[in-house]
């Protein structure tokens, strides 16, 4: 904990020290993930005997901090990513470790990885409120957390795009959740657009990974490790498939479940 505080509150940000500290979390991330899965399904089972908690204030605060965190992260990493592209070229922005992981953007990249522990709290709020817990939700949380830790310690260059895309999409997503939590009715079309953005981030990442794979296959030097690349590739393919299915079930099949729910809510009013 002392090491965490020292890195977090020492300026300028020390990337290599952050890498060394994060490497100590690899086993902890796995154990924490197992505990997380056991906990959420245990709570889900126990809650079958109780009425759902409202947790309105907790939900509002939760969505507020994640929305603000994501907006700030998107802002700082946007500047850094476009600086990388301008100074070193588009391809180098995802094949070589550069200044993105240093300074302010480096600090936010590190916070991004650590925040995946905190984001597991999403699921606790879901099961305590007896909302539907889908496989995509907890699978995505577990995989992203562990990928974040492993890839950070392996100096993964294409994390520039993954981090920036995720921060940016989450800026919209958690802002949407916040509006919903304070009972502002947001059109289902907005939710559909956010899911479209989520799908788009996976498509962009997969295109980048395809090029990275090609470069490695022809012997070009790419920073990072093959094992991390394969982990990322499998993860992103699974996300693309799962989110595509979620999109189909929610917004296409039978006229779209979300659109039907919206019409029913309007009729009740």
């Amino acid at each position: 904990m002392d090491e965490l505080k020292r890195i977090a509150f020492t300026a300028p940000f020390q990337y290599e020290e952050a890498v060394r500290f994060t490497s100590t979390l690899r086993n902890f991330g796995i154990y924490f993930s197992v505990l997380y899965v056991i906990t959420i399904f245990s709570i889900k089972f126990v809650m079958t005997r109780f009425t759902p908690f409202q947790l309105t204030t907790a939900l509002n605060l939760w969505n507020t901090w994640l929305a603000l965190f994501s907006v700030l992260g998107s802002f700082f990493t946007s500047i850094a990513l476009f600086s990388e592209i301008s100074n070193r070229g588009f391809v180098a922005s995802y094949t070589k470790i550069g200044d993105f992981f240093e300074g302010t953007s480096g600090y936010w990249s590190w916070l991004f990885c650590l925040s995946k522990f905190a984001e597991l709290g999403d699921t606790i709020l879901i099961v305590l409120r007896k909302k539907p817990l889908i496989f995509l939700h907890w699978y995505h949380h577990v995989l992203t957390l562990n990928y974040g830790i492993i890839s950070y310690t392996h100096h993964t260059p294409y994390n520039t795009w993954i981090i920036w895309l995720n921060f940016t999409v989450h800026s919209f997503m958690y802002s949407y959740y916040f509006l919903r939590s304070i009972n502002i009715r947001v059109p289902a079309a907005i939710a559909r657009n956010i899911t479209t953005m989520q799908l788009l981030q996976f498509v962009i990442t997969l295109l980048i990974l395809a090029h990275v794979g090609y470069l490695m296959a022809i012997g070009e030097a790419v920073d990072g490790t093959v094992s991390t690349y394969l982990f990322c590739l499998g993860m992103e393919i699974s996300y693309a498939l799962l989110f595509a299915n979620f999109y189909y079930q929610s917004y296409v099949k039978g006229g779209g479940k979300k659109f039907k729910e919206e019409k029913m809510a309007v009729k009740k009013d």
Side-chain angles (χ1 to χ4, degrees), residues 69-87 93 99-101 104-106 108-109 159-169 171-172:
F69 176 75
S70 299
V71 168
L72 288 171
S74 177
F75 174 74
F76 289 118
T77 56
S78 292
I79 295 171
L81 179 58
F82 291 111
S83 176
E84 286 279 299
I85 295 171
S86 298
N87 296 331
S93 73
D99 293 338
F100 182 94
F101 296 98
T104 302
S105 59
W108 280 89
S109 298
N159 273 357
T160 51
W161 284 83
I162 291 173
I163 291 170
W164 172 69
L165 285 166
N166 196 259
F167 264 140
T168 302
V169 171
S171 299
F172 290 95

Side-chain angles (χ1 to χ4, degrees), residues 230-251:
L230 293 175
F231 184 175
C232 186
L233 182 63
M235 178 182 74
E236 294 291 335
I237 290 172
S238 69
Y239 287 174
L241 293 174
L242 288 168
F243 273 88
N245 179 64
F246 176 79
Y247 184 95
Y248 174 74
Q249 297 293 335
S250 299
Y251 307 110

Side-chain angles (χ1 to χ4, degrees), residues 7-250:
I7 297 171
F9 297 108
T10 299
F13 174 67
Q14 301 297 315
Y15 171 59
E16 291 299 337
E17 289 192 23
V19 168
R20 282 193 291 272
F21 170 77
T22 306
S23 68
T24 67
L25 300 177
R26 291 182 64 171
N27 288 337
F28 177 73
I30 295 171
Y31 300 145
F32 198 83
S33 298
V34 172
L35 178 62
Y36 159 74
V37 173
I38 293 172
T39 300
I40 60 175
F41 281 100
S42 296
I43 295 174
K44 188 175 186 294
F45 174 75
V46 171
M47 286 303 296
T48 59
R49 305 178 184 183
F50 297 92
T51 56
F53 293 98
Q54 294 302 311
L55 302 175
T56 303
T57 301
L59 192 63
N60 291 343
L61 292 173
W62 184 260
N63 290 325
T64 298
W65 91 260
L66 279 171
L68 290 173
F69 176 75
S70 299
V71 168
L72 288 171
S74 177
F75 174 74
F76 289 118
T77 56
S78 292
I79 295 171
L81 179 58
F82 291 111
S83 176
E84 286 279 299
I85 295 171
S86 298
N87 296 331
R88 301 196 305 126
F90 178 70
V91 174
S93 73
Y94 56 80
T95 57
K96 299 293 180 183
I97 287 288
D99 293 338
F100 182 94
F101 296 98
E102 303 284 351
T104 302
S105 59
Y107 182 66
W108 280 89
S109 298
W110 182 58
L111 291 181
F112 171 86
C113 295
L114 298 184
S115 71
K116 298 309 170 184
F117 284 100
E119 284 184 15
L120 301 184
D122 276 354
T123 323
I124 303 299
L125 291 171
I126 286 174
V127 292
L128 287 175
R129 294 164 60 236
K130 297 184 74 170
K131 299 296 182 181
L133 177 61
I134 60 175
F135 171 75
L136 168 60
H137 176 89
W138 61 266
Y139 169 82
H140 172 262
H141 272 314
V142 167
L143 222 58
T144 303
L145 184 156
N146 287 282
Y147 171 78
I149 295 171
I150 292 170
S151 63
Y152 192 83
T153 61
H154 286 169
H155 304 282
T156 306
Y158 37 87
N159 273 357
T160 51
W161 284 83
I162 291 173
I163 291 170
W164 172 69
L165 285 166
N166 196 259
F167 264 140
T168 302
V169 171
H170 278 196
S171 299
F172 290 95
M173 186 181 77
Y174 281 110
S175 296
Y176 164 77
Y177 287 158
F178 170 71
L179 293 175
R180 288 285 303 273
S181 70
I182 59 174
N183 295 318
I184 293 178
R185 182 176 292 164
V186 183
I190 299 297
R192 179 189 60 192
N193 291 342
I194 292 173
T195 305
T196 301
M197 290 176 65
Q198 290 174 309
L199 274 170
L200 185 59
Q201 76 170 318
F202 303 133
V203 171
I204 292 171
T205 303
L206 285 170
L207 289 173
I208 288 172
L209 291 175
H211 190 219
V212 169
Y214 168 74
L215 292 174
M216 290 192 297
I218 63 174
E220 292 287 336
V222 177
D223 290 341
T225 66
V226 174
S227 60
T228 302
Y229 171 79
L230 293 175
F231 184 175
C232 186
L233 182 63
M235 178 182 74
E236 294 291 335
I237 290 172
S238 69
Y239 287 174
L241 293 174
L242 288 168
F243 273 88
N245 179 64
F246 176 79
Y247 184 95
Y248 174 74
Q249 297 293 335
S250 299

